Amino acid sequence: MGVLDTVRGWFSGEPALFDPSWEPLLTREFDHWSSLNAGELARMRMLVARFVHDVRWEPSNGFELTDEVRVLIAAQASMLLLGLELDEYPQLTSVIVHPSTVRLRGTHAVGGGVMSSGTQTLAGQAHFKGPVILSWSATKRGAKHPEAGNNVVYHEFAHQLDMLDGVTDGTPPLDDQAARERWVAVCTAAYDTVRAEGSPVLRPYAGTNPAEFFAVATEVFFNRPVDLCDHEPELYAELRGFYRQDPATRHRNRHERRHGSW
Ligand SMILES: [Zn+2]
């Protein structure tokens, strides 16, 4: 725990501590937790504790916000910060949790450049300098079953990272102009391919606009890293460079640990 955590503890009266009871909960309900090494787990425990402690949590529709809800959301949101020099989401105002699907009214994009009006149900939503809204059932399913590819928490918090530079355009803050140009070139090529002919790893929703492309690509980067690395090696490399994590190597190491290698 750093000096800042101690200082915040004095002000708020309670320091952001990782409760030991969260460990078995995360091992059981968050598949990726078991793939982390000792150093990664140490940073994750700090990030999870801060997130649970600092975020303004809002239940929707009389939903009960238990420790399990807060910790499972915090852990998935923190996975995106694991390799970054960022310990929190500075523009996040609150996390609103719905029991199942989130219902919205009005006009909205439904994928493939198509707009629709009327009631829309979705698993989550991220607002610029505002709340992240999540469906608890989708959150729980995504944590436990990464092989399906989808993860609503990774998706919405990727939008939060994208928004850090003031525009939601599929390009998060990068080191310099050369890095931005390379990022845009690689992502544009992959985005155009998804729109034109689809992709074996990126679902069609990635073709909605560049912001959705980055959010969907983030889900697949963490959930199906080996597939993404095989099918879109340049895109995988850009995401690995931005997140400063290599989930494909993590995935292979875990597989070897499970099944043994000679
Ligand atoms: Zn989205």
Side-chain angles (χ1 to χ4, degrees):
M1 189 174 284
V3 173
L4 258 178
D5 292 283
T6 316
V7 171
R8 191 184 20 254
W10 292 340
F11 285 125
S12 65
E14 47 172 324
L17 292 176
F18 185 91
D19 190 302
S21 71
W22 299 349
E23 193 80 44
L25 166 68
L26 287 166
T27 306
R28 192 178 67 240
E29 300 295 338
F30 181 30
D31 181 83
H32 286 159
W33 192 258
S34 304
S35 70
L36 302 172
N37 65 34
E40 291 170 331
L41 283 171
R43 174 159 164 78
M44 282 292 282
R45 290 188 192 104
M46 181 276 286
L47 291 171
V48 169
R50 274 184 78 143
F51 195 100
V52 168
H53 187 264
D54 291 355
V55 159
R56 197 155 64 98
W57 296 92
E58 297 178 33
S60 161
N61 301 335
F63 181 66
E64 194 194 348
L65 276 173
T66 59
D67 250 18
E68 181 186 7
V69 174
R70 281 187 282 258
V71 169
L72 210 48
I73 291 171
Q76 294 174 80
S78 297
M79 274 297 283
L80 272 55
L81 302 180
L82 177 58
L84 303 182
E85 288 174 22
L86 193 64
D87 293 345
E88 63 191 5
Y89 290 91
Q91 297 182 353
L92 178 70
T93 57
S94 62
V95 173
I96 303 171
V97 193
H98 290 243
S100 53
T101 47
V102 180
R103 288 179 184 279
L104 299 171
R105 293 190 161 279
T107 307
H108 44 264
V110 292
V114 178
M115 300 299 285
S116 169
S117 58
T119 304
Q120 180 194 24
T121 57
L122 35 87
Q125 198 176 46
H127 291 260
F128 183 68
K129 293 188 179 174
V132 161
I133 306 170
L134 295 167
S135 142
W136 169 239
S137 56
T139 296
K140 201 167 156 63
R141 196 166 54 240
K144 191 135 187 166
H145 300 289
E147 68 283 358
N150 301 1
N151 184 301
V152 64
V153 183
Y154 293 166
H155 183 107
E156 304 307 339
F157 282 90
H159 283 318
Q160 282 284 328
L161 293 176
D162 185 4
M163 293 166 182
L164 283 177
D165 57 8
V167 271
T168 317
D169 60 355
T171 305
L174 296 167
D175 288 342
D176 53 38
Q177 187 59 25
R180 278 189 291 277
E181 284 171 10
R182 200 182 57 235
W183 176 280
V184 170
V186 168
C187 291
T188 302
Y191 173 71
D192 288 345
T193 305
V194 170
R195 287 179 69 92
E197 53 200 73
S199 158
V201 281
L202 296 159
R203 65 180 187 270
Y205 192 67
T208 306
N209 58 46
E212 296 307 335
F213 178 85
F214 171 57
V216 172
T218 293
E219 293 177 73
V220 176
F221 174 70
F222 286 101
N223 278 352
R224 296 179 58 195
V226 176
D227 291 339
L228 186 67
C229 194
D230 287 347
H231 289 284
E232 299 277 359
E234 290 189 338
L235 176 61
Y236 183 86
E238 288 304 310
L239 291 164
R240 185 183 56 206
F242 169 65
Y243 283 111
R244 293 175 205 176
Q245 296 188 51
D246 189 357
T249 299
R250 200 184 277 147
H251 185 92
R252 290 191 189 99
N253 289 344
R254 183 185 189 182
H255 191 79
E256 282 175 16
R257 275 205 309 277
R258 266 189 193 164
H259 300 278
S261 59
W262 297 90

